[in-house]
Amino acid sequence: MAGIYIHIPFCRQKCSYCDFVSFPDKIGYAEAYMACVYKELKMRGAELKDRVFDTVYFGGGTPSYIPPKLILGAMNRIRECFRLTENPEITLELNPGTIGEEKVKIYEKAGINRFSIGLQTAIDEQLEDLGRIHNVRDYVYATKLLKGKNFSTDVMLGLKNQKKEDVKKTIELAAACGSSHISMYALTVEDGTPIYTDYLNGELPDSDEVAELYDYGRNLLASLGFNRYEISNFSKKGFESRHNLNYWRRGEYIGVGLAASSFLAGRRFTNTFNLDDYMKCVISGFFPAVDAEEVSEADAKFEKVMLALRTAEGLSLQEYEREFSSTIEEDFPAALSKMRKYLERTDGNLRIKDEYLYVQNQILMPFMEEPGKRG
């Protein structure tokens, strides 16, 4: 099984933390861009006619910002050009400030069966600081439109002036509104984004404070019946994101659209980040990938460990040995020795102990630095 990712690079307004490839001033390009997406889908479908795909994910940008008929058109093209399983998971990211009843009806027609809502926080002042176009009332309205449907809510940690009470209010609101899945991410501050100034001025919580917020949120989510299945992702039983699980299990996926990445047959490639170049390339009948590499065995081993240790199930030692004909002890002896106190083995799996989840990047670093293991 493999996944399909479609990148929609348009939004109404750029958030202060956003470092993604998205454009707040080019919605006029949406129809022409999506026509190119349709063509790239046809080209990729012809190349991948023997593969079966289990998930489709529309990300951005803000997919719910463009006319919904364009999402319907993309799904029609996917069904024409790709082999899907009988019950594929089809996810659409949406901003609460860009949703309405008619859009939901068209999404239903398109077969969207999972929605990912970007709430971030239930504190309106913090939403304003982030440059979000919606408020808390918009989120509540969006969840009413999606009542009875499968939807996830994004929650962000590490915001200016954020306290545990704010995290509590946000998580409890998301749960009360019917979320079957909650993603709880720490704010990542990138150089060049407006919020970077707040970081330089020391106005954002430090790493220890964010770690406390994470542990508090994790325990609260557990008490509300949300099981952690990845560092930042929690769901009611049976509502895990199949698309994202495929990434964490190092499964294959094809990315379509501007800046979309793919991983197929041990090869990783990424489409151009330039909108004009993307459209010209596809119109001319060429694949728009500009960066490609064969993943070495050493990198494949590291990726396997890095991704699996993010999950609650951890790394299957038997699966690792079957895939690489070697053991993790043989491949990463120094890293295992150095990180022993942070790791545990249960039921044949290696996993990060719960109390050290928030420092998982530091735990994984020695695996990346293992001498002679990576090219």
Side-chain angles (χ1 to χ4, degrees), residues 216-229:
Y216 176 80
R218 177 171 64 86
N219 290 325
L220 177 59
L221 283 162
S223 73
L224 294 171
F226 290 85
N227 301 307
R228 182 189 75 85
Y229 68 98

Side-chain angles (χ1 to χ4, degrees), residues 84-353:
L84 299 179
T85 54
E86 185 175 341
N87 183 33
E89 177 192 86
I90 305 173
T91 304
L92 179 96
E93 290 183 349
L94 67 86
N95 184 298
T98 63
I99 194 67
E101 191 172 346
E102 288 305 310
K103 281 188 176 181
V104 173
K105 289 179 180 178
I106 296 175
Y107 295 149
E108 286 180 338
K109 186 177 179 181
I112 306 298
N113 54 26
R114 184 176 183 274
F115 297 85
S116 179
I117 310 177
L119 169 61
Q120 315 310 351
T121 174
I123 310 301
D124 280 335
E125 293 80 7
Q126 292 171 359
L127 289 171
E128 188 174 345
D129 280 342
L130 292 174
R132 302 290 292 178
I133 65 169
H134 68 89
N135 57 31
V136 176
R137 290 180 63 186
D138 293 329
Y139 170 78
V140 174
Y141 171 69
T143 62
K144 287 181 178 178
L145 290 177
L146 299 176
K147 186 176 181 180
K149 304 186 189 309
N150 179 16
F151 67 86
S152 173
T153 296
D154 285 354
V155 172
M156 191 172 282
L157 304 178
L159 309 182
K160 187 190 297 186
N161 300 319
Q162 189 177 43
K163 303 292 188 294
K164 288 181 181 178
E165 294 75 17
D166 303 332
V167 175
K168 183 176 189 290
K169 182 176 180 181
T170 302
I171 289 174
E172 289 182 343
L173 176 66
C177 286
S179 299
S180 55
H181 183 288
I182 294 177
S183 296
M184 186 174 67
Y185 297 104
L187 171 66
T188 301
V189 181
E190 302 289 352
D191 192 359
T193 59
I195 206 168
Y196 192 69
T197 302
D198 293 339
Y199 166 72
L200 293 177
N201 292 338
E203 298 180 71
L204 301 179
D206 62 28
S207 59
D208 289 338
E209 291 171 319
V210 177
E212 285 187 21
L213 293 176
Y214 174 83
D215 283 335
Y216 176 80
R218 177 171 64 86
N219 290 325
L220 177 59
L221 283 162
S223 73
L224 294 171
F226 290 85
N227 301 307
R228 182 189 75 85
Y229 68 98
E230 191 268 345
I231 292 290
S232 302
N233 288 270
F234 306 77
S235 76
K236 296 293 182 70
K237 188 174 182 179
F239 288 94
E240 298 85 357
S241 167
R242 282 154 52 187
H243 187 82
N244 287 338
L245 273 173
N246 182 55
Y247 290 148
W248 297 317
R249 290 170 176 166
R250 203 168 174 270
E252 296 185 315
Y253 52 91
I254 185 71
V256 175
L258 191 68
S261 293
S262 304
F263 177 57
L264 291 168
R267 185 169 171 267
R268 201 179 305 283
F269 50 96
T270 304
N271 285 352
T272 176
F273 284 52
N274 183 286
L275 181 60
D276 289 339
D277 287 350
Y278 171 79
M279 295 174 68
K280 288 175 184 176
C281 194
V282 175
I283 289 170
S284 300
F286 297 100
F287 289 123
V290 293
D291 183 35
E293 65 169 344
E294 298 289 334
V295 179
S296 69
E297 183 178 58
D299 279 348
K301 290 177 178 180
F302 168 71
E303 290 173 5
K304 183 79 173 181
V305 172
M306 176 190 70
L307 293 170
L309 287 182
R310 290 187 61 88
T311 66
E313 64 188 3
L315 174 70
S316 168
L317 301 176
Q318 186 178 35
E319 183 179 310
Y320 183 95
E321 186 172 354
R322 183 169 61 247
E323 184 171 344
F324 298 113
S325 299
S326 61
T327 66
I328 190 171
E329 289 86 358
E330 292 170 336
D331 293 332
F332 298 98
L336 287 173
S337 176
K338 187 175 182 180
M339 296 293 106
R340 183 177 292 112
K341 80 169 188 175
Y342 302 106
L343 303 171
E344 63 183 3
R345 299 187 186 216
T346 55
D347 300 324
N349 287 11
L350 182 70
R351 57 189 300 276
I352 297 175
K353 295 177 182 177

